[in-house]
Amino acid sequence: MPDKGAIISPVPSQLLILRPSPLLQWRLGALTALIFFLMLVVWNIDSCSIQSFVEPWRFNTYSVRLNLSPSPSPSLAPKPHLESDKPHRQNLTLNKTTGPRNPDPNLTSNPTRVQVGWIAAESEKNFTANLMRNWLAPGGAPCREAKTVEISVPGIDGTDSVELTAGEIHEFKFQALDESKNPVCIGGDYFETDLSGENWKSRPPVKDFGNGTYSFSLQVHPEFAGEYNLTVILLFRHYQGLKFSTARLGFDRKLRNVRLRFLNKPYIALPELRSCQKSDFTRDSWSGRWTRLGKNDECQISNDGRYRCLAADFPCRKPWCDGAVGAIESNGWVYSTHCSFKLFSGDSAW
């Protein structure tokens, strides 16, 4: 009788059963290679042209849309109004009078003064649906396949400096151009604008009309009239900023760097900004500016990383804010939008 602690050696037939099959090893290796290949495909999917993925079903979708809608075919779309060498100024002009001007009843000392409104950022209805429709819109015409490399800005191009009235909203329309200076007739380009002065900084809003034309609007409060610099940068072309590798697909080219001068006219008045309320924070879109209410040119960052340029109790100047602007350590800069913010101290906040 064998001992209880003894281990019985397996017979040769059992060894054959426990040994992995060569066919099983081959299948496991093939499965591993397939998974690795699929990972590479997913990783590099953004480098492929999205047109090759959506073309088979996009044509069917577009055909159904044509059958349901009486709109004409994109290939029969009218030619853009701008020619390659002489931009047409009929549609791309400077609009200096946007919105009605009503006399300010409070300005009794000068009844000729008029009050204009602030630039307002409005949310586009069905933004996501419109974006996807424009992104997947079929090409066909050469102007719809072209890539933007330049712009044409009537009212600014060809001038060393542009003079504008402070307080008014000035809308400039511009046309996207390809490398041959021909108009691009499809939208989706992402432009970044910057309006900078000594005591005023803002990012003028840009509108995309979907046909290769765009517009931006400029406005400076009369209190901050003076010399400014306008910069227009093309960051991404035709929705490429929506892809994964944005750093690799970014165009990032400065297209305009223009000197502007805003003049203070006595007949222009802007409504005073009100303080922000709880309901203001439900807005989806904001458009504002940075204003500088004081500065210290000799200010340096301290060893503890603080930027104490102004006294902690340096006051705001209404209507731009309410509180002590020195407490935010911005060397006098403060942000405001369609309303102005209250700056709380530690004691008042708690």
Side-chain angles (χ1 to χ4, degrees):
M1 180 175 181
D3 296 335
K4 293 182 179 181
I7 300 176
I8 302 176
S9 301
V11 296
S13 60
Q14 293 177 337
L15 292 176
L16 293 176
I17 296 175
L18 297 177
R19 183 178 302 170
S21 172
L23 180 60
L24 180 60
Q25 293 180 351
W26 180 86
R27 290 181 178 178
L28 181 61
L31 180 60
T32 303
L34 179 60
I35 293 175
F36 181 75
F37 175 76
L38 292 177
M39 291 175 61
L40 291 179
V41 171
V42 173
W43 182 263
N44 295 282
I45 190 171
D46 62 304
S47 62
C48 300
S49 174
I50 192 171
Q51 185 176 1
S52 62
F53 289 90
V54 302
E55 190 66 26
W57 58 268
R58 186 180 65 180
F59 178 78
N60 295 332
T61 304
Y62 182 67
S63 300
V64 173
R65 188 165 62 248
L66 284 180
N67 294 332
L68 297 178
S69 175
S71 59
S73 172
S75 60
L76 300 179
K79 295 182 179 180
H81 293 283
L82 292 184
E83 298 297 331
S84 59
D85 53 347
K86 294 182 179 180
H88 203 292
R89 293 179 179 265
Q90 182 177 357
N91 291 336
L92 304 181
T93 55
L94 167 63
N95 184 6
K96 295 184 179 180
T97 57
T98 60
R101 298 180 182 178
N102 300 321
D104 186 0
N106 298 324
L107 302 175
T108 56
S109 60
N110 190 351
T112 60
R113 297 187 69 180
V114 292
Q115 187 171 11
V116 296
W118 290 94
I119 290 179
E122 301 294 340
S123 299
E124 180 183 349
K125 295 183 179 180
N126 301 323
F127 175 78
T128 303
N130 294 334
L131 186 147
M132 295 302 299
R133 183 180 66 252
N134 295 332
W135 188 7
L136 301 177
C143 65
R144 297 181 65 87
E145 301 290 346
K147 299 294 185 181
T148 302
V149 298
E150 187 53 84
I151 58 175
S152 173
V153 191
I156 289 183
D157 291 347
T159 59
D160 296 332
S161 179
V162 179
E163 291 188 354
L164 304 173
T165 301
E168 290 185 327
I169 299 177
H170 305 271
E171 182 181 11
F172 290 87
K173 293 185 178 180
F174 62 96
Q175 171 72 55
L177 305 175
D178 62 11
E179 58 184 4
S180 300
K181 304 299 182 182
N182 295 321
V184 177
C185 59
I186 193 170
D189 297 330
Y190 184 83
F191 294 92
E192 183 180 79
T193 56
D194 180 84
L195 181 64
S196 297
E198 183 179 2
N199 298 316
W200 176 289
K201 293 182 182 295
S202 62
R203 292 293 177 88
V206 179
K207 294 181 181 179
D208 183 356
F209 296 99
N211 58 358
T213 60
Y214 304 81
S215 72
F216 58 83
S217 299
L218 308 178
Q219 185 182 37
V220 170
H221 193 277
E223 180 182 343
F224 297 91
E227 301 290 335
Y228 283 80
N229 193 73
L230 173 66
T231 304
V232 180
I233 299 176
L234 176 57
L235 288 181
F236 298 99
R237 300 184 294 184
H238 193 55
Y239 302 108
Q240 288 184 339
L242 300 178
K243 295 187 177 182
F244 296 133
S245 302
T246 55
R248 179 172 57 85
L249 297 174
F251 191 66
D252 197 10
R253 176 180 295 181
K254 183 186 294 185
L255 302 182
R256 289 296 182 276
N257 189 8
V258 185
R259 293 174 54 191
L260 303 177
R261 178 180 298 171
F262 285 89
L263 305 178
N264 190 358
K265 302 293 185 179
Y267 57 85
I268 296 295
L270 279 169
E272 184 172 310
L273 293 177
R274 57 177 178 82
S275 299
C276 293
Q277 305 296 326
K278 182 179 179 180
S279 59
D280 291 310
F281 295 94
T282 61
R283 294 172 60 102
D284 295 329
S285 301
W286 296 64
S287 178
R289 80 293 303 166
W290 286 88
T291 52
R292 198 170 203 176
L293 310 179
K295 65 177 180 178
N296 180 4
D297 293 331
E298 299 179 357
C299 180
Q300 299 292 333
I301 299 178
S302 61
N303 294 330
D304 57 352
R306 305 290 293 275
Y307 201 50
R308 304 181 184 91
C309 301
L310 303 175
D313 58 349
F314 188 88
C316 283
R317 186 169 69 249
K318 291 186 176 182
W320 307 109
C321 58
D322 181 14
V325 69
I328 61 178
E329 300 182 9
S330 62
N331 201 3
W333 288 102
V334 66
Y335 180 78
S336 60
T337 176
H338 61 278
C339 56
S340 61
F341 297 98
K342 180 176 178 59
L343 307 179
F344 293 91
S345 63
D347 296 335
S348 61
W350 290 100

